[in-house]
Amino acid sequence: MSDKEDDKVRLDKWLWAARFYKTRALAKAAIEGGKVHCRGERCKPSKEPKIGEELTVRCGFDERTVVVRALSAVRRGAPEAQGLYEETAESIERREQAAAMRKAGALGLDTDGRPSKKQRRQLHDFRERHDW
């Protein structure tokens, strides 16, 4: 997977090739937004990841801690992309626990659905009284 030309690859391109993000633009925006950390620090899209380096990548609700195993600037199939990194055991456990909690509804509000017409009127009156 790692050729002479792939020895130096930008972080945004590597994240795209490893299939963390659908486009390089999304990968670059995530890096600039502080969703990708290298050794606990924010990094730039032009950073060159090294083999053995640990990255923390947040995609949606999930946060993954991965170790770079290979470098590639070419986006290939998912099985090949998964060979570019290895997710740590702690990261897998955290993600599974968070997914189970989301599935159980522990992170969200438990409601009975949409408010009725009467409840909407009461909310409207409450907001007007309190100037919100």
Side-chain angles (χ1 to χ4, degrees):
M1 279 186 207
S2 181
D3 295 347
K4 186 72 172 167
E5 61 201 33
D6 288 339
D7 286 345
K8 291 189 175 185
V9 62
R10 292 172 52 102
L11 181 59
D12 59 346
K13 202 168 198 177
W14 184 85
L15 288 169
W16 168 75
R19 294 182 167 260
F20 284 103
Y21 299 99
K22 285 187 178 186
T23 64
R24 277 187 65 192
L26 288 175
K28 182 180 178 197
I31 296 168
E32 290 172 345
K35 301 205 183 327
V36 179
H37 293 249
C38 180
R39 288 177 265 153
E41 296 179 3
R42 287 178 69 161
C43 45
K44 295 183 178 181
S46 61
K47 180 187 182 344
E48 295 175 355
K50 308 264 188 286
I51 294 176
E53 223 169 29
E54 191 171 286
L55 300 173
T56 304
V57 182
R58 184 178 306 140
C59 295
F61 291 116
D62 296 332
E63 184 173 295
R64 298 174 181 223
T65 303
V66 298
V67 178
V68 178
R69 291 291 171 216
L71 300 175
S72 177
V74 180
R75 187 174 171 105
R76 295 202 171 100
E80 291 181 48
Q82 288 174 349
L84 298 178
Y85 63 91
E86 181 183 332
E87 189 171 2
T88 62
E90 300 86 31
S91 173
I92 294 170
E93 187 178 326
R94 271 196 322 256
R95 273 191 317 110
E96 288 174 352
Q97 286 176 350
M101 287 180 70
R102 280 196 307 272
K103 190 173 182 179
L107 296 179
L109 295 174
D110 189 25
T111 64
D112 296 331
R114 292 176 55 182
S116 67
K117 190 171 182 177
K118 182 180 178 181
Q119 290 168 335
R120 282 197 307 271
R121 275 195 225 112
Q122 289 172 342
L123 282 170
H124 183 69
D125 291 341
F126 179 78
R127 286 185 179 143
E128 279 194 1
R129 273 187 272 132
H130 294 289
D131 254 352
W132 283 338

